[in-house]
Amino acid sequence: MIQNVLILGAGSAGLLAAITLKKKLPSLTVSVVRSSEIGVIGVGEGTTTNMPDYLFNFLQLDPSRFYAQAEPTWKLGIRLLWGPRDYFDYSFADQLTGQYRQLQRASGYFSDEDFHGIGLGSALMEAGKVFPRNVQAGGGPDLRVSFGFHIENAKLVQTLESIARELGVTFVEGTMSGAERGPAGIAALLLEDGRRLEADLFLDCSGFRSELLGRALEEPFVSYERALFCDRAVVGGWDRTNEPILPYTIAETMEAGWAWQIEHEHHINRGYVYCSQAISDEAACEEFLRKNPKAPKSPRVVKFRSGRYRRMWVENVIAIGNSSGFVEPLEATALMTVARHCRGLLPMLADAPTETVRALYNKLCNETFDDTRDFLALHYKFNTRLDNDFWRRCRADTEMGALGSLLEFYGENGPTNLNALLVPSQDRNPFGLEGYLAMLVGNRVPYKARHRATDAERSTWQQLLTTLRNQAEQGLTVAESLGCIRSPLWRWNAQKTGPQRG
Ligand SMILES: Cc1cc2nc3c(=O)[nH]c(=O)nc-3n(C[C@H](O)[C@H](O)[C@H](O)COP(=O)(O)OP(=O)(O)OC[C@H]3O[C@@H](n4cnc5c(N)ncnc54)[C@H](O)[C@@H]3O)c2cc1C
């Protein structure tokens, strides 16, 4: 049986893993090697809906403490400046998979021309509001809308570390210089100062360095370069002055990639993810600064490679976080992947793990990564906004992985919910049909079975959107909602998270 777990790395992945193990399997001894010398990557600030659910429902962390210390703001989805429309919103709350009972067809069939504010989440995004008012509860924010977080990486890491310490996780300050092999895989970590640390199970959470899985065990890396061409980002933000706090992330098409805008309470974080084969670092920085004159004049360049290791669990080493793989920043999925992998691991540690348990874990983890790759590839494949070498290459050469049948079906039948039967991995898919339809409808991907709405249907559709718009406009902004949850009168109850996906 595993009794002693050693985690290499005190970034968000190592700390989430430590908290998960200590909370759910409290008899384990859990230690984290933390290197102040190396530090954390310092990017990774948007989440999907699974993060609030993971923290507050699954791990049962105290939301008042988490909000006070980590200071997240809420994200209702992503506004994509993408494709032929002015923009479209991928909202975490269902908008295209829903069908209003007054109409015979799903909402996507009515969104060819105008795809704005067709569900509550996207109506709130349109209105610049984050939550509807909870009229029964005094008019404060009603958190039962699907949301993710924007959280500054440094604040998240600090908060998680303090929670892990309180739970009894031990921290060892030091930098690993090597690993000693043994019959079960790794026998001990060797620190630069000569210390030797043994354990039954090693979690490699060492970020892109992948010290144990990649370097010590030399597990092969499976590149996603045929689906995703970006491999660098310039990153730089500025302190908020009078800009309103937007309740969503922006993803904006750029010459050789795309740029994010992430909204913290006091800081706006921008980053340009680009393909180094298509643009130099200098030209990317120039383009970034032209768009963002408030950003620092020498933005930081971060390199990454898109892909995953062939297996994440090898012998007695499990890699979680960037050390196991990284798809790319679009859709902000890495923390979601960490949470899914930590959660998936727990039942597999109930007994001494066998080779078949390791194989099952690897299959599930590979599936999360590969489904994410395909979902992101869909974004690139159908973005017709710019006509230059990079975007022409994306449209021509992006491989679509497991999405072939879904795309063929959509091309014939359009945005029907029947597409759900062709979504890869079905119920385990982190994005659900909603995500795929948002990209297909948002990018106006053509389909044959158009629906010609009657005048009566058109009028019903407009009335439904007006009702949504009115409800959204009565809602609260991010700043107002932060004020409410900081009031001594606020009570965290069932409202800790909205519905989640993934
Ligand atoms: C440009 C970019 C944008 C991103 N945006 C997002 C986003 O919006 N949302 C999202 O979820 N994710 C995003 N990510 C991914 C993000 O990096 C991860 O979600 C996460 O924050 C990093 O987690 P980590 O713990 O795996 O890595 P790190 O933060 O790098 O932590 C690694 C840890 O290992 C330690 N370590 C390494 N080597 C040694 C050693 N030899 N000895 C001792 N300690 C060691 C380090 O000190 C550190 O503590 C982004 C990534 C990039 C590159």
Side-chain angles (χ1 to χ4, degrees), residues 223 225-226 228-232 256 274-281 389-390 393 397:
S223 169
E225 67 194 353
R226 282 148 58 136
L228 297 165
F229 307 140
C230 290
D231 56 0
R232 289 189 193 181
Y274 58 96
C275 166
S276 62
Q277 284 173 12
I279 194 170
S280 67
D281 293 346
D389 286 349
F390 172 75
R393 179 182 170 212
D397 298 343

Side-chain angles (χ1 to χ4, degrees), residues 4 18-19 33 81-83 102 105 116 125 167 201 222 269 284 289 304 314 319 323 406 413 452 457 473 499:
N4 206 342
I19 293 170
V33 177
L81 279 52
W82 213 266
Q102 299 91 324
R105 291 293 197 115
H116 294 114
M125 288 164 79
L167 289 170
L201 180 70
V222 179
N269 186 346
L289 290 171
F304 62 87
V314 179
S323 57
L406 174 72
N413 304 291
R452 305 234 171 275
E457 282 177 313
E473 280 169 0

Side-chain angles (χ1 to χ4, degrees), residues 58-123:
F58 184 66
L59 293 179
Q60 292 283 307
L61 301 184
D62 172 10
S64 55
R65 185 258 176 92
F66 187 86
Y67 273 93
Q69 207 177 340
E71 300 185 328
T73 64
W74 300 279
K75 165 181 172 186
L76 295 177
I78 302 187
R79 172 156 295 178
L80 289 121
L81 279 52
W82 213 266
R85 302 176 189 268
D86 50 353
Y87 63 85
F88 65 91
D89 290 334
Y90 166 32
S91 131
F92 292 142
D94 290 349
Q95 51 175 349
L96 286 159
T97 42
Q99 179 172 333
Y100 292 101
R101 67 187 152 65
Q102 299 91 324
L103 293 166
Q104 299 294 319
R105 291 293 197 115
S107 298
Y109 290 98
F110 299 92
S111 306
D112 288 341
E113 294 305 317
D114 186 10
F115 177 35
H116 294 114
I118 71 160
L120 181 58
S122 49

Side-chain angles (χ1 to χ4, degrees), residues 9-10 12-13 38-39 41 43-44 46 176 205-206 209 211 322 326 334-335:
S12 33
I38 296 177
I41 188 168
V43 284
M176 178 193 137
C205 300
S206 62
R209 298 162 72 103
E211 295 276 12
N322 289 348
F326 177 64
L335 288 167

Side-chain angles (χ1 to χ4, degrees), residues 8-14 33-36 38-47 153 157 174-177 205-209 211 232-233 235 260 262 273 302-304 320-323 326 329 332-336 338:
L8 176 66
S12 33
V33 177
R34 179 186 186 283
S35 166
S36 312
I38 296 177
V40 296
I41 188 168
V43 284
E45 309 210 308
T47 81
N153 186 259
V157 166
T175 299
M176 178 193 137
S177 55
C205 300
S206 62
F208 289 141
R209 298 162 72 103
E211 295 276 12
R232 289 189 193 181
V235 183
W260 75 70
I262 286 184
V273 177
V302 181
K303 295 183 184 171
F304 62 87
I320 295 182
N322 289 348
S323 57
F326 177 64
T333 53
L335 288 167
M336 170 192 85
V338 168

Side-chain angles (χ1 to χ4, degrees), residues 128-178:
K129 304 290 172 81
V130 65
F131 294 120
R133 264 177 214 283
N134 192 339
V135 182
Q136 283 91 28
D142 185 343
L143 271 57
R144 288 170 296 180
V145 176
S146 298
F147 61 82
F149 282 146
H150 290 142
I151 318 185
E152 290 178 59
N153 186 259
K155 286 184 184 165
L156 175 65
V157 166
Q158 253 174 21
T159 307
L160 294 178
E161 185 174 327
S162 66
I163 294 171
R165 284 183 190 274
E166 281 163 29
L167 289 170
V169 173
T170 311
F171 283 78
V172 181
E173 184 64 40
T175 299
M176 178 193 137
S177 55

